[in-house]
Each structure stands twice: as structure tokens, then as C-alpha cells.
């Protein structure tokens, strides 16, 4: 008799738990799912065509210490010490002077300070200025339509039209790569210690698509050397080419290898510059 009561009690308990779970699920369905954000741009969290999640994964396999931050304040909490590389790809929100100084201040704990900026817009120029790099990304207007199927990009600074998909030649790690850029800008190189490693041509004019600069700035009261690598196009790192094209994938690996060296480095991807879209809005 007592065993029968125990079985009945256990059955009722399970039924009660399942009922409560069902009520909760029904309530959640009526209320709507949680506001999970989705990133549509070149965010490391975007696993779609124009995200950079694949690049992060292949670098983790090679270097191990690859971090993704969603807020610049997280930089201060990372265990950075050796050679550090801060990476930003096609940021959607521009860096302010305060944010740029915050980035460099956090990287001041590292033995070596390195930046990799792949940006076809001017959103990273303030960071370049703070790093003391004599490099700036030119401001170009979005893609325009001209004479039927011919698509061009208008550059107001030179008052000329640029091809939307120029082929740039890069010299990286002793290798030559011919890479198709996607509505890219170009890099203005000023006076200072800088070397050009990527170029493309428009008519008889040569435009810079890749450059590296070495500068010395004051960080936390100390003079520090900074190495800054700039590409005038972030599309070379997107999932759509990293996943499907061996040339782009090897170019990316060789570029990071040329920056980090054989000893490797701690790599930080900045995911704070992309506007999150609530999943409910997309649905």
C-alpha cells in the first residue's frame, strides 16, 4: 500500500513539473522570445557571408590567444602582456579621441603594441591619429550608377571616379597576392616612417591599398613604439572569401604572420563597433 502511494506521489510530482514547464513555454511564446542581438556587419559574431567569424576561428587554431571584445572597457580586463595586436575590420561606428586613447592605454601593458585596421571608410582615422601613424583612409562616396551597367565610385577629394572592384597587388611575407577589392577606398600616406605593401591603379594613377607605419607615442607617461598596419578594404577578411577562396585565406594568414612573427601574439578583435539588430526585428 505504501509503495503504491509513493508511485502516485512521484507521478503527481512529475506531472506538476511538466505542467509548470508547459505554462512557462506558453507564456514565453505569447510574450515573444528574448531580445537576442544579431550583427549584420563585419562583426566576429556574424557567421554569415559578411561576418568575420571564420577569420577568428582560423587564427585561434594558429595562435590560441584570440579575444573578441564587445566593449572597449573589456580591454583592461584581458591578460595582455607580450606582443599584442588590436584588430578592427570595417567598423560601423567611428572611434572617438577618448576611445582611441583608451585602446592605446590598455595596450600599454603589452611588450609590443600593434594595430591592424582594415577599413574602407574614415571611421578609424581618429585611432590612426592617436597611434601617431602617418596614414589616413580617404573619404569616398558610396557606389554610384553610370552609363548603363558600368558601376563606379566617386572620390570627391580627387573629383574622379574609381572602379568598384579594383585588383590590388599585395606583397606580404615574400609572396605576391592579386586580390580583388570590394568598393575599396585608398590610403593617404603622409610624412613619417611608413612602407607601402599594397597598390592598385586607376588610369595612370597609383593608389595605396596597404601600408604599415611605425611611430612613437606617449602611453601612461612612457614613450612607446606602435606598429600600425592599414588596409583600405575590410572585405578581404569576410567569411564569403575566407571560407571559399584559398588565396584570400592564405593572404590573411600570411599578413597576420608578418605582423605577429613566428613567436605569435595575443590578438584582440574589436566587436564593439557594430550596431546590433534585435532578432525579433529581423524575424
Amino acid at each position: 500500500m505504501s509503495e503504491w502511494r509513493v508511485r502516485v506521489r512521484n507521478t503527481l510530482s512529475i506531472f506538476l513539473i511538466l505542467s509548470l514547464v508547459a505554462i512557462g513555454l506558453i507564456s514565453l511564446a505569447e510574450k515573444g522570445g528574448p531580445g537576442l542581438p544579431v550583427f549584420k556587419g563585419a562583426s566576429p559574431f556574424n557567421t554569415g557571408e559578411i561576418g568575420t567569424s571564420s577569420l577568428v576561428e582560423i587564427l585561434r587554431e594558429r595562435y590560441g590567444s584570440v579575444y573578441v571584445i564587445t566593449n572597449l572597457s573589456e580591454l583592461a580586463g584581458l591578460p595582455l602582456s607580450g606582443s599584442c595586436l588590436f584588430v578592427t575590420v570595417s567598423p560601423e561606428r567611428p572611434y572617438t579621441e577618448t576611445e582611441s586613447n583608451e585602446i592605446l592605454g590598455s595596450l600599454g601593458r603589452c611588450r609590443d603594441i600593434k594595430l591592424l585596421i582594415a577599413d574602407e571608410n574614415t571611421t578609424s582615422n581618429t585611432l590612426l591619429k592617436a597611434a601617431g601613424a602617418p596614414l589616413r583612409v580617404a573619404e569616398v562616396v558610396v557606389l554610384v550608377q553610370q552609363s548603363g551597367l558600368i558601376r563606379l565610385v566617386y572620390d570627391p577629394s580627387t573629383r574622379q571616379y574609381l572602379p568598384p572592384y579594383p585588383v590590388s597587388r599585395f606583397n606580404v611575407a615574400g609572396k605576391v597576392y592579386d586580390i580583388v577589392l570590394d568598393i575599396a577606398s585608398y590610403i593617404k600616406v603622409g610624412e613619417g616612417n611608413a612602407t607601402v605593401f599594397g597598390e592598385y591603379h586607376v588610369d595612370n594613377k597609383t593608389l595605396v591599398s596597404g601600408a604599415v607605419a611605425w611611430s612613437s607615442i606617449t602611453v601612461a607617461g612612457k614613450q612607446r613604439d606602435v606598429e600600425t598596419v592599414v588596409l583600405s578594404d575590410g572585405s578581404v577578411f569576410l567569411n564569403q572569401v575566407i571560407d571559399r577562396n584559398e588565396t584570400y585565406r592564405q593572404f590573411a594568414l600570411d599578413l597576420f604572420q608578418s605582423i605577429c612573427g613566428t613567436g605569435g601574439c595575443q590578438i584582440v578583435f574589436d566587436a564593439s563597433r557594430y550596431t546590433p539588430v534585435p532578432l525579433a526585428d529581423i524575424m
Side-chain angles (χ1 to χ4, degrees):
M1 186 68 177
S2 60
E3 293 180 0
W4 180 83
R5 289 180 177 176
V6 171
R7 286 199 297 270
V8 171
R9 185 181 301 111
N10 290 340
T11 301
L12 290 174
S13 299
I14 295 173
F15 178 76
L16 179 60
I17 292 173
L18 292 176
S19 299
L20 293 174
V21 171
I23 293 172
L25 291 175
I26 292 172
S27 299
L28 182 60
E30 292 178 348
K31 182 180 179 181
L36 297 175
V38 175
F39 296 90
K40 297 191 298 181
S43 167
F45 294 120
N46 186 355
T47 58
E49 295 287 282
I50 61 172
T52 53
S53 58
S54 296
L55 175 63
V56 172
E57 290 307 313
I58 64 174
L59 291 175
R60 278 182 175 151
E61 292 177 3
R62 171 167 291 195
Y63 297 108
S65 299
V66 178
Y67 307 96
V68 179
I69 60 171
T70 58
N71 193 297
L72 293 180
S73 62
E74 298 174 21
L75 263 177
L78 294 179
L80 303 178
S81 57
S83 181
C84 303
L85 173 61
F86 180 87
V87 182
T88 182
V89 180
S90 299
E92 296 174 354
R93 292 191 294 108
Y95 290 95
T96 65
E97 181 179 353
T98 299
E99 290 172 333
S100 300
N101 291 331
E102 180 182 357
I103 292 170
L104 294 167
S106 295
L107 295 176
R109 294 173 291 143
C110 304
R111 183 187 70 246
D112 302 315
I113 302 176
K114 302 173 183 288
L115 304 175
L116 173 54
I117 296 171
D119 193 1
E120 60 279 355
N121 293 307
T122 60
T123 46
S124 302
N125 280 346
T126 301
L127 178 57
L128 289 172
K129 181 180 179 180
L135 307 173
R136 298 291 184 273
V137 179
E139 182 179 5
V140 295
V141 178
V142 295
L143 191 69
V144 296
Q145 192 81 23
Q146 267 204 340
S147 60
L149 298 177
I150 300 177
R151 302 202 300 174
L152 301 169
V153 176
Y154 181 68
D155 179 8
S157 62
T158 60
R159 295 184 179 180
Q160 68 177 5
Y161 289 94
L162 309 178
Y165 310 111
V167 177
S168 175
R169 173 156 291 185
F170 294 97
N171 290 274
V172 177
K175 302 177 184 177
V176 176
Y177 289 94
D178 289 330
I179 301 292
V180 178
L181 306 181
D182 185 8
I183 314 179
S185 180
Y186 59 92
I187 302 167
K188 297 179 180 179
V189 182
E191 295 183 359
N193 190 5
T195 298
V196 173
F197 65 87
E199 296 177 334
Y200 66 94
H201 304 280
V202 178
D203 296 329
N204 295 323
K205 188 174 182 179
T206 299
L207 299 177
V208 177
S209 54
V212 55
W214 296 269
S215 56
S216 181
I217 61 173
T218 301
V219 179
K222 297 181 180 179
Q223 205 69 15
R224 300 297 307 275
D225 293 331
V226 181
E227 179 182 349
T228 306
V229 179
V230 184
L231 298 177
S232 64
D233 183 18
S235 71
V236 297
F237 292 143
L238 300 184
N239 296 337
Q240 60 187 1
V241 292
I242 295 295
D243 289 339
R244 303 192 186 107
N245 193 302
E246 178 61 30
T247 299
Y248 285 80
R249 183 162 55 250
Q250 194 57 51
F251 167 74
L253 289 173
D254 283 344
L255 181 61
F256 276 86
Q257 179 72 23
S258 68
I259 300 171
C260 290
T262 56
C265 54
Q266 296 172 291
I267 303 174
V268 180
F269 277 83
D270 185 10
S272 71
R273 316 316 295 177
Y274 311 98
T275 304
V277 180
L279 181 59
D281 290 356
I282 294 180
M283 295 176 64

